[in-house]
Amino acid sequence: MIRISTIFVAICMVLVSASLGLVLYSVAGISGSESAIVALTALTFLILYNAVSMRLRDRTDVGTQIADLSRGTADLARQVAEFSRRLSAAEARIASANAAGADRMQSVIGEINELGGLVKQLAASVASHEELLTERPVELAEPEVPARPQTPPARKARRCAANRSCSARCAPRSMRTGSMSICSRW
């Protein structure tokens, strides 16, 4: 892409060389063809001078760009080294955490195995106790208490009648329920 400044410089070089040819033709009295050759020669020298000066300026620009690129590359290398160091540290922490986790898992597995052994022992003990219970049954029911000989209902009624304080509550049960009398004190 051609810049506007380059177009402007090219127009100025053409004008300068044409002016030089016109001045030589009118003031120096040189013929038109000779003044045109001098004008073209001047234009050629101006174009060469412009090209060489642009190349020198481009070289300094390229040198600056190369220096910037080398600084950028060095900075990038430094950042990659820093990230590499951080990554190594993170990997080391993860590896140590994994090792600690494996140790914890081994201890938990050992405890679970121990608990499994204890459960097996408990099951064996329960089985042996059950065997003993099935071989000779144990009476779990309460032993029967021999019943007291009951007094005949007539005698209870006399006792109740003798005790006047409970006469209201002591009525023959036969009257209430159809059986013998009950006194709350007895």
Side-chain angles (χ1 to χ4, degrees):
M1 184 167 135
I2 299 174
R3 292 189 273 175
I4 296 176
S5 63
T6 306
I7 295 172
F8 179 72
V9 168
I11 292 172
C12 288
M13 285 190 295
V14 169
L15 286 175
V16 166
S17 64
S19 298
L20 179 66
L22 198 64
V23 167
L24 286 177
Y25 177 74
S26 61
V27 175
I30 300 178
S31 69
S33 62
E34 290 177 351
S35 65
I37 292 175
V38 171
L40 281 175
T41 307
L43 181 63
T44 306
F45 282 120
L46 288 174
I47 290 172
L48 285 174
Y49 175 76
N50 187 28
V52 170
S53 67
M54 287 182 90
R55 290 288 175 190
L56 291 175
R57 187 176 41 196
D58 286 344
R59 278 193 183 165
T60 59
D61 289 344
V62 169
T64 306
Q65 289 175 351
I66 290 173
D68 289 343
L69 282 175
S70 66
R71 280 192 297 270
T73 304
D75 187 40
L76 185 62
R78 183 188 55 79
Q79 287 177 358
V80 167
E82 179 70 20
F83 285 134
S84 174
R85 185 189 61 79
R86 286 183 183 175
L87 181 64
S88 297
E91 286 175 347
R93 278 184 279 171
I94 289 172
S96 67
N98 284 341
D103 291 342
R104 285 188 212 123
M105 283 184 7
Q106 289 300 326
S107 66
V108 167
I109 288 171
E111 289 178 10
I112 289 174
N113 288 337
E114 186 177 335
L115 286 174
L118 290 174
V119 167
K120 285 179 184 177
Q121 287 177 357
L122 180 65
S125 175
V126 167
S128 67
H129 284 280
E130 185 178 358
E131 253 181 51
L132 288 175
L133 288 175
T134 56
E135 285 178 5
R136 58 183 167 105
V138 176
E139 294 288 328
L140 295 178
E142 293 181 21
E144 284 189 33
V145 178
R148 278 196 274 160
Q150 292 192 356
T151 57
R155 202 165 126 192
K156 272 191 177 179
R158 272 183 279 154
R159 254 194 246 163
C160 216
N163 188 357
R164 297 197 189 265
S165 65
C166 73
S167 63
R169 287 182 303 206
C170 294
R173 192 174 217 190
S174 58
M175 296 167 95
R176 283 186 272 147
T177 61
S179 68
M180 60 184 192
S181 64
I182 301 174
C183 183
S184 64
R185 285 191 171 177
W186 304 93

